[in-house]
Amino acid sequence: MRIIISVIIPAYNSASRIKFTLESIIAQDWPELEIVLVDDASSDDTVKIADEILSSSHRKFLIHKNINNMGVSASRNTGLKLSHGEYISFIDGDDIITKDFISKLYASITKFHSQFSFCNIAWRFTQDKPDIHEDFNLPEISTGENIIFKKTIPVFACLYDKNFLVSNNLRFHEGCTSGEDVEFQIKALCLAEKVSFVNECLYFYVQHENMGSIRDNNTREKKLTRYEHNTQAQIRTADFLMTNAKIERVIFYARKILKPQNLIRQLTIYAMKHDRENYNLLLKDEESMKILHEALKLYVLRMKPEIYFKALMILFFPKVYYRMRESL
């Protein structure tokens, strides 16, 4: 029996790059491939170009068009729901993979019976710049919790066992514009008994002027929204780890590092929004003060000195911290 692998592509106004992404997927040396493209109400020719390329290929494919712009999280979730493969890979609509990306990640999963596998990546620039390689330097096999805080493993450089995702109800948080991928991945790592690693660069993360992280970060209002969404993602992540993690040091990190970090970020958001009332209310909260005082521990200074010094300033110079963050 042949194993079907589904490649899910969230795309939004990707007309300038989708050709290269799809060609690299079509060229995979894995025979039974299903391509699921979820277009997030693009206003350009993304769907037209994709349909022309996929229709002329030998690959099974499905193009789903969102009626309204839902965001990348909703698009990935839709793709997961529509997919038929036993294994899933999420490829961004402007990136490139090597022809053996799928086969090598699948070989790793089957060799170690892992819940998902991942590989090294390279940052590729459309301008005349050399690739920047990011090598994770991790063992071939590990428990997910052992690498949660060692490296940030991007969701697009992975192959997941679909049953693992579905049985654990792992989904991307819809409506979140920043940090949703890290939240998803840390939750997956927390729950995975085995995660395997291919020590090769098989994925190229393409940097260009129209990419979403630049488009959605070009005004103060957009930056603030992304920062707020990122903070909410970190809060959900910390809560998840404190409830589901099995290793004590992961729980410790979530409670003693992430919780004060998230509280400081929330105070920063109030300052950036010029919301002095809620800033002061949060500082008067007994639990908040306890968290900030706990951040003045030696282990916090050693592990995350920026959290230690920010907590110190907030506790002793709250008006100064407010003014500093207000002007960001």
Side-chain angles (χ1 to χ4, degrees):
M1 175 178 145
R2 291 186 173 182
I3 301 297
I4 297 175
I5 294 177
S6 298
V7 178
I8 297 168
I9 311 162
Y12 174 68
N13 286 349
S14 302
S16 63
R17 297 295 314 170
I18 196 67
K19 173 180 183 291
F20 306 106
T21 302
L22 290 176
E23 287 178 347
S24 73
I25 296 171
I26 291 167
Q28 291 297 294
D29 58 15
W30 189 261
E32 295 297 322
L33 202 65
E34 174 193 52
I35 300 172
V36 180
L37 186 140
V38 181
D39 177 75
D40 198 19
S42 294
S43 58
D44 64 7
D45 290 332
T46 297
V47 171
K48 179 182 177 182
I49 294 169
D51 186 60
E52 290 174 353
I53 293 171
L54 292 170
S55 295
S56 61
S57 76
H58 62 286
R59 299 295 192 182
K60 296 177 182 177
F61 73 92
L62 168 67
I63 297 177
H64 174 86
K65 294 183 282 186
N66 292 340
I67 297 174
N68 300 309
N69 185 264
M70 303 291 290
V72 67
S73 291
S75 294
R76 285 178 178 142
N77 289 341
T78 297
L80 179 61
K81 185 177 180 180
L82 294 173
S83 64
H84 300 93
E86 294 181 44
Y87 296 88
I88 301 292
S89 185
F90 299 102
I91 307 294
D92 283 355
D94 46 8
D95 293 341
I96 297 172
I97 54 177
T98 62
K99 67 178 182 180
D100 52 0
F101 171 83
I102 294 294
S103 58
K104 287 190 173 179
L105 291 182
Y106 177 77
S108 176
I109 280 184
T110 53
K111 177 182 178 180
F112 296 107
H113 304 286
S114 59
Q115 279 73 54
F116 69 93
S117 60
F118 66 97
C119 63
N120 290 324
I121 68 171
W123 298 59
R124 174 159 291 180
F125 300 87
T126 53
Q127 301 86 1
D128 189 20
K129 296 181 182 178
D131 293 345
I132 298 177
H133 286 258
E134 184 172 354
D135 298 327
F136 296 118
N137 296 319
L138 292 168
E140 277 190 292
I141 184 68
S142 176
T143 63
E145 285 187 292
N146 279 330
I147 59 176
I148 281 179
F149 299 114
K150 289 182 180 178
K151 298 287 183 179
T152 301
I153 310 301
V155 295
F156 48 68
C158 300
L159 183 68
Y160 299 91
D161 182 327
K162 183 179 180 180
N163 183 60
F164 166 68
L165 299 182
V166 173
S167 62
N168 286 290
N169 197 31
L170 280 169
R171 300 290 187 275
F172 294 89
H173 192 88
E174 299 190 9
C176 184
T177 61
S178 178
E180 81 295 332
D181 49 352
V182 177
E183 176 187 354
F184 177 93
Q185 194 70 310
I186 289 180
K187 289 178 179 179
L189 287 168
C190 177
L191 297 173
E193 294 180 5
K194 293 181 181 179
V195 178
S196 53
F197 170 55
V198 177
N199 191 23
E200 296 182 52
C201 177
L202 307 175
Y203 193 102
F204 294 91
Y205 182 35
V206 180
Q207 307 294 295
H208 58 93
E209 60 183 7
N210 294 320
M211 64 191 302
S213 59
I214 295 176
R215 180 188 63 237
D216 298 334
N217 211 32
N218 57 8
T219 67
R220 186 183 187 279
E221 183 179 355
K222 288 181 178 180
K223 288 179 182 177
L224 178 54
T225 297
R226 284 178 61 85
Y227 185 76
E228 190 167 12
H229 285 192
N230 192 283
T231 299
Q232 292 165 356
Q234 291 196 27
I235 291 171
R236 291 190 298 269
T237 300
D239 291 341
F240 184 90
L241 291 177
M242 286 188 290
T243 302
N244 295 281
K246 296 175 286 295
I247 298 178
E248 185 57 37
R249 63 187 174 87
V250 174
I251 300 172
F252 176 88
Y253 194 91
R255 180 177 291 115
K256 300 297 186 179
I257 301 297
L258 292 184
K259 277 188 74 71
Q261 175 180 276
N262 293 337
L263 176 59
I264 291 168
R265 287 172 68 102
Q266 186 58 61
L267 287 164
T268 300
I269 290 168
Y270 286 143
M272 292 174 71
K273 287 183 170 182
H274 312 294
D275 187 351
R276 192 63 171 266
E277 181 180 358
N278 279 313
Y279 180 87
N280 290 334
L281 283 174
L282 193 54
L283 285 179
K284 291 178 181 178
D285 178 70
E286 184 177 337
E287 181 63 24
S288 297
M289 294 302 290
K290 182 179 177 181
I291 291 171
L292 288 173
H293 279 288
E294 282 292 314
L296 301 183
K297 301 288 187 181
L298 185 59
Y299 59 78
V300 177
L301 179 60
R302 289 198 303 263
M303 297 172 71
K304 287 285 186 178
E306 67 273 18
I307 295 176
Y308 178 93
F309 288 112
K310 285 179 180 179
L312 190 69
M313 175 162 280
I314 291 169
L315 283 169
F316 293 97
F317 307 100
K319 292 181 180 179
V320 175
Y321 185 85
Y322 182 91
R323 287 196 295 269
M324 290 172 58
R325 297 304 166 187
E326 186 181 33
S327 60
L328 288 177

